[in-house]
Amino acid sequence: MAARRQVLTVLISVGVLATTSCTSTSNGSGGAPRPARLTTTTTPGTGAVDRVTWALPYGEPTTLDPAKVGDYSPQTVEANLCDTLTRMNADFSLSPGLARKVTWTDNRTLVLDLRADVTFWDGSRMTPEDVIHSLERQTDPKTQALYGNYLAAVTSIKATGPHQVTLRTRTYDQTLPKALSTSFGAVSRKAYAQKAGAAYGTAKGGLMCTGPFKLASWKSGHSITLERNDAYWDARLKPKVGKLVFTFITNSNTLTSALLSGEVDGTYELPPSSATALARASNGDTYLGPSTQNVLLVPGSAKSPAADRRLLDALSLSLDRTALIKNVFGGDATPLKSLVPPLTWRGDKAADRYDAAYAALPAAPEPDLERARKLMDQVGPVSRPLVAAIPAGDQKGLQTLTFLQAAAKKLGVDIQLRLLQPTEMSSLFYDPSIRQGIDLILTFGYVGMPDPAAYVAEMVTPRGLFNWTGYDNPAVTRLLQQARTSSDPQVSAKAFGEAQALFTPTVPVIYLAATHERMYMNKRISGAPTSFAYMGMPWAAYLGGTAK
């Protein structure tokens, strides 16, 4: 490794996903599939807009604290409020953010050179102390943060200049600078966050960040309103939108009507049923973009009968994925063979090695009831119905589990649905008490940065946040650690590929599909990114009017 390496130069080449590619999707009328092109962004909007209303189809956020957001709704909002130290771009590349430069000076020293011209919404200057506090509070148990594990290799975080912070680590950590582009790397004002305490990020406690929009109001059960930050530090991204109002619409039919009427200007995660109804809308367009989303069926606990991989394999063999993708996802998805979709590593220097390892995995299974029944003979009778959870009003999830119910019935397995309120469903991922009594959880997950090893570790290592069944394979844990700590992309990719070959057939999960991002936007505005990168970038700062 060279004595000095500017990380962002490397990441820009590593993190890129394919900007366009051809696929197929339903034509909205039940006919033959039509070709569709995946794009990463839309035509820039140039005009000023007084107000834009945007829907959150997964419901109201439970928090906007950057240390705690880990779901679609809160990240869609928070990405426009709290800038990160490195910035995600629409093509999944990374570029400078609040840190103008991020450099490994040696294998154990990561230096963040901060911008000197950044202010918080209240006009105060961002300092190294704000950055240090924002990172360190994520290891404080009182914060109940989600991303403290990213600091696992860090031994100290210190100010080493008026605009510089240095992180010392036990070993090289290729995940750490990438994580700075996620909400883990968001910077809050230290004094404000300390005063707000546990209320920080709530409707009562508010926020104090540096982003292009500032939090104006939060009316629980109704809406969240952001206002343009006229003193925003990044001149290229000063917002053209005066007010950005987020409304919580979890019912697909209600969302469709609101988009058709113009009451709502746009939404990410547009449900397939809404996409069909909006196919001929005259006031807006549906866009497809590349994504790192995965659709998985995951057991809720180690005690559930569903934690038996043989049972899951039997259910998997009973499913018709081709029909599932066509009827539930409108054709805008592909079968998934493991935990991480291939787009996650598409621009990596070792992409060919990642691709080869993924290609070597067994193909997603075709329906095979005979094999499925043989596995069920090994499992034995399932003594009670299995409870599967989805958010109330989630038509896509309901349709997916209806497919599963019908398939499971052929194997003598009864699956009952439990509909959870969106906030309860969001909390389920982090609160084991909510998962009690739930056997299966249909997850629409995602990889938030160009780093497959870090995402997978959360699901298959003993301390992983989403390892709800206690899966533990020491070889997998060792290989993923090697993938994280190697400074050689080829070595890292090789270690990940070996780990993937071990966990893919053994971790208790059913791999269903990798979906495309689907976004709808009224023709009066444009500029929003269409890729899944919106989750980690100030996407609304790109919006502008079109005079249509």
Side-chain angles (χ1 to χ4, degrees), residues 197-394:
Y200 188 67
T202 66
K204 179 181 178 181
L207 283 169
M208 185 54 63
C209 290
T210 67
F213 291 88
K214 50 188 176 182
L215 183 62
S217 67
W218 185 342
K219 300 177 181 178
S220 295
H222 183 264
S223 63
I224 294 173
T225 299
L226 313 188
E227 289 182 353
R228 177 173 54 225
N229 175 14
D230 289 322
Y232 189 48
W233 61 270
D234 190 344
R236 299 168 306 156
L237 278 182
K238 287 192 175 180
K240 301 177 186 67
V241 175
K243 284 189 177 181
L244 178 62
V245 180
F246 291 97
T247 184
F248 323 130
I249 305 179
T250 58
N251 181 278
S252 298
N253 292 332
T254 304
L255 176 59
T256 301
S257 298
L259 291 168
L260 281 171
S261 69
E263 177 187 348
V264 169
D265 293 300
T267 186
Y268 286 107
E269 311 311 323
L270 181 71
S273 58
S274 296
T276 300
L278 292 164
R280 293 182 177 84
S282 60
N283 69 336
D285 294 298
T286 300
Y287 300 86
L288 291 179
S291 178
T292 57
Q293 293 168 283
N294 55 8
V295 185
L296 307 171
L297 200 61
V298 184
S301 74
K303 297 179 180 179
S304 168
D308 188 329
R309 176 64 197 239
R310 296 171 302 173
L311 172 60
L312 294 177
D313 283 342
L315 291 174
S316 180
L317 286 165
S318 68
L319 283 169
D320 186 340
R321 284 169 174 76
T322 300
L324 177 71
I325 288 171
K326 177 182 178 182
N327 292 289
V328 175
F329 300 103
D332 297 329
T334 56
L336 183 65
K337 300 202 300 183
S338 188
L339 290 173
V340 180
L343 283 176
T344 305
W345 58 73
R346 182 59 62 232
D348 196 285
K349 285 188 173 182
D352 288 348
R353 188 181 287 274
Y354 281 108
D355 284 337
Y358 189 81
L361 296 173
E366 298 290 335
D368 190 335
L369 282 176
E370 183 178 351
R371 283 180 58 200
R373 286 171 176 145
K374 287 180 179 178
L375 283 170
M376 288 305 301
D377 288 341
Q378 298 176 27
V379 173
V382 179
S383 59
R384 62 172 177 79
L386 301 180
V387 177
I390 56 169
D394 179 8

Side-chain angles (χ1 to χ4, degrees), residues 44 244 266 395 531 533:
L244 178 62
Q395 195 65 24
S531 76

Side-chain angles (χ1 to χ4, degrees), residues 82-148:
C82 300
D83 279 329
T84 51
L85 289 159
T86 60
R87 176 174 285 171
M88 183 77 74
N89 302 313
D91 62 0
F92 282 79
S93 66
L94 303 183
S95 60
L98 296 177
R100 60 181 178 82
K101 187 170 64 173
V102 177
T103 310
W104 283 106
T105 56
D106 58 51
N107 277 352
R108 296 185 179 182
T109 308
L110 186 65
V111 177
L112 314 180
D113 288 306
L114 308 176
R115 298 184 187 276
D117 58 347
V118 177
T119 59
F120 292 102
W121 302 326
D122 63 1
S124 59
R125 290 278 180 182
M126 182 187 75
T127 68
E129 287 69 31
D130 295 311
V131 174
I132 293 168
H133 179 261
S134 296
L135 293 173
E136 288 186 338
R137 70 185 289 264
Q138 302 192 67
T139 61
D140 184 345
K142 294 180 181 178
T143 305
Q144 297 182 319
L146 303 179
Y147 307 109

Side-chain angles (χ1 to χ4, degrees), residues 13-76:
S13 63
V14 168
V16 179
L17 292 182
T19 57
T20 61
S21 64
C22 289
T23 181
S24 63
T25 184
S26 170
N27 62 10
S29 60
R34 57 174 171 79
R37 182 166 294 277
L38 303 186
T39 60
T40 59
T41 191
T42 54
T43 303
T46 57
V49 182
D50 289 336
R51 172 186 169 121
V52 167
T53 301
W54 205 265
L56 298 177
Y58 283 99
E60 183 173 3
T62 55
T63 181
L64 294 176
D65 182 346
K68 299 178 182 179
V69 299
D71 201 359
Y72 290 91
S73 289
Q75 287 194 237
T76 303

